[in-house]
Structures are given as C-alpha cells and as structure tokens.
Amino acid sequence: MKPPPPVTSDASDAVTPESLRKQYEAGATVDELVAASGLSYGTVLNRLHDAGTVMRTSWQTGRMRQDPQARRRLAAHLRTLYEQRGATLTELAAGAGETRRSARRLLIEAGGTVRTTQQTLRMRAAARVAERHKLALSLRARYEAGASVPELAEDYNYSVATVYRLLHQAKTRMRPQHRHGPPHDEGKRP
C-alpha cells in the first residue's frame, strides 16, 4: 500500500479559512475537515479561528446532525418569538434549552436580526399599549351592551377606577349615574 502523497503548500493555501468555515458551519467536524483537506488538526483550527468561526461542542454537532430540519424549525420558531412577540435572547435560550449565544446563532440562521435592548423595550411598550387598547375596546363593548362599571371591575379583576379610566380611553359615552337610596326632596333639607 502506498501512503498518500504529501500535501503541497499550494494545495494547503487553496483551503481558505472561509471555505473551512462554511463546511464547519454546514455540520462538518474538525476531524472531517482534517481528513478532507490534508491539513493538520492545528492548521484547520487556526484557519477556523482566523475566519471568526464560532466553535461548537461535540454534543452540539451531534444534535445538529440528528435532524437538520428540526434545527431549522427551531430556528424559525425562535425567530417568530423574537420578532413578533418581543422575546429576548435570554428568554429564547431558556425556552430552547440553549445558551444565549446559540439562541443568537439560531436566530441569525433563520434570517433574523438581533435587536438592541432599547429596541426590545420600545417593542414591548408598544405591545402593552396595543393590548391595553384592545382591553379598553372590550370593556366598552360590554358597557354599551348594558354591563355596569362595578360588574366589569369584578369580571376583569380591576378596580372601578381602572375600568373608568379604560372606558374613558376608549372614548365611551357614559350613562348617567343612578342615585341610590331614598329619594330626596329638593325643597326639604334635614
């Protein structure tokens, strides 16, 4: 048996850090890159690091190889949570059983863009305003259908003052207040 021919310096230069990175990010292991390129283990690692490759653990590689479609589905799900519901990277990581770094990587793989903290805060504030407006319109509909403010406060577990405030925000035309108790004569005073 003949040993394989030694790799010339021209061939080793043809294996660029970027091409190694693409292969690695597609799921190849360092050992597989060494075998395919004919470079030493250290050279492959150095070129991956030069290309700015984020290295993964062996269990991450195994998980990635188990079901690439599941990884894509998880990445798409995380992107939906991140973009439509305003989830943070920490919340994504906790929900997916990942680290913040891997949740970020999955988000980017799915085509998402990482937000700043200020963007997340503004997004969440806007969502709260929209939810509060929806609640106010719901209260208005029930009030206009005949429900009283105390009934609404009890049903929604809010104070009467909060229900009045929400009805006011929904521009609800209020009914006149009823007088409770014995009738008062305007002319007589006790």
Side-chain angles (χ1 to χ4, degrees), residues 63-124:
R63 186 173 187 191
M64 183 178 177
R65 288 180 167 192
Q66 282 176 351
D67 190 358
Q69 288 180 335
R71 182 179 175 83
R72 283 192 293 276
R73 282 193 304 273
L74 175 62
H77 176 67
L78 293 180
R79 181 179 179 188
T80 300
L81 292 175
Y82 190 76
E83 292 177 350
Q84 295 177 5
R85 300 204 182 145
T88 63
L89 287 175
T90 302
E91 292 166 343
L92 293 179
E98 301 281 339
T99 63
R100 277 178 46 93
R101 189 175 190 174
S102 58
R104 182 179 193 278
R105 190 177 321 125
L106 285 167
L107 176 67
I108 292 169
E109 282 177 22
T113 305
V114 179
R115 298 185 300 265
T116 64
T117 302
Q118 288 302 315
Q119 289 170 324
T120 299
L121 292 174
R122 280 193 297 269
M123 183 179 191
R124 285 186 165 190

Side-chain angles (χ1 to χ4, degrees):
M1 224 174 11
K2 282 177 143 179
V7 177
T8 63
S9 64
D10 293 339
S12 70
D13 290 339
V15 181
T16 64
E18 288 75 26
S19 68
L20 289 172
R21 177 181 179 174
K22 283 181 186 176
Q23 293 174 44
Y24 183 79
E25 288 177 349
T29 64
V30 175
D31 289 329
E32 291 168 347
L33 293 175
V34 167
S37 68
L39 299 173
S40 72
Y41 192 89
T43 302
V44 169
L45 278 179
N46 287 337
R47 290 188 184 181
L48 287 171
H49 288 292
D50 289 345
T53 308
V54 177
M55 303 305 286
R56 58 181 183 264
T57 63
S58 58
W59 68 266
Q60 288 172 321
T61 300
R63 186 173 187 191
M64 183 178 177
R65 288 180 167 192
Q66 282 176 351
D67 190 358
Q69 288 180 335
R71 182 179 175 83
R72 283 192 293 276
R73 282 193 304 273
L74 175 62
H77 176 67
L78 293 180
R79 181 179 179 188
T80 300
L81 292 175
Y82 190 76
E83 292 177 350
Q84 295 177 5
R85 300 204 182 145
T88 63
L89 287 175
T90 302
E91 292 166 343
L92 293 179
E98 301 281 339
T99 63
R100 277 178 46 93
R101 189 175 190 174
S102 58
R104 182 179 193 278
R105 190 177 321 125
L106 285 167
L107 176 67
I108 292 169
E109 282 177 22
T113 305
V114 179
R115 298 185 300 265
T116 64
T117 302
Q118 288 302 315
Q119 289 170 324
T120 299
L121 292 174
R122 280 193 297 269
M123 183 179 191
R124 285 186 165 190
R128 281 193 303 273
V129 167
E131 196 61 36
R132 191 113 169 138
H133 182 68
K134 185 177 172 183
L135 172 64
L137 293 177
S138 172
L139 287 169
R140 177 181 175 174
R142 292 222 21 228
Y143 180 80
E144 289 175 348
S148 69
V149 172
E151 287 170 356
L152 293 173
E154 187 176 326
D155 289 350
Y156 284 84
N157 201 24
Y158 284 113
S159 70
V160 170
T162 300
V163 171
Y164 272 115
R165 186 171 39 259
L166 290 168
L167 289 171
H168 177 72
Q169 288 172 0
K171 301 189 183 339
T172 307
R173 185 177 194 90
M174 302 302 289
R175 296 187 294 261
Q177 291 184 345
H178 299 286
R179 293 184 180 235
H180 299 287
H184 291 67
D185 284 335
E186 293 297 320
K188 292 184 185 178
R189 293 206 156 190

